[in-house]
Amino acid sequence: MKKEIDPRMHSAEHILNQTMVRFFGCGRCFSSHIEKKKSKCDYHFDRPLVEEEVDRIMTQVNEVIQLNLSVSEEFVARDEAEKRFNLNRLPEHAGDPVRIINIGDYDACPCIGPHVHFTGEIGAFRIISTSFENGVLRIRFRLSGAEDRIPGAGR
Ligand SMILES: [Zn+2]
């Protein structure tokens, strides 16, 4: 039986991936382990992150969460999707058309997983730790409840 994926965590993963792509030009994570309590994502990388970079990533991800962007699905013909996206991480049965998850205009990614409707539902994003070994950067993160105030949030 397939394990249920937490939509908040999984949506946070998409935002984190887009943030990594924008900041470092690396690819999205090639492997991830998403659980309700804490999750981790692995990236092909060339060095460890310094603390300042970890802070920048957290700030950016939390800003996207606070914007309360809508998360919507779109269905795109497979040959069209192949031009726009890397479909390697989609399972075989993903089919045609391919489901694309759009997070406002911040991120678009082919995906079959469950998502929140608005990024504000995710709650506060926090990186617990990062490590680097053999060309792999691992980022471990948690979420606090959506009801928790994010420090610096305007409302
Ligand atoms: Zn997804």
Side-chain angles (χ1 to χ4, degrees), residues 10 14 101 111 113 115:
H10 181 60
H14 279 229
I101 293 296
C111 180
H115 282 275

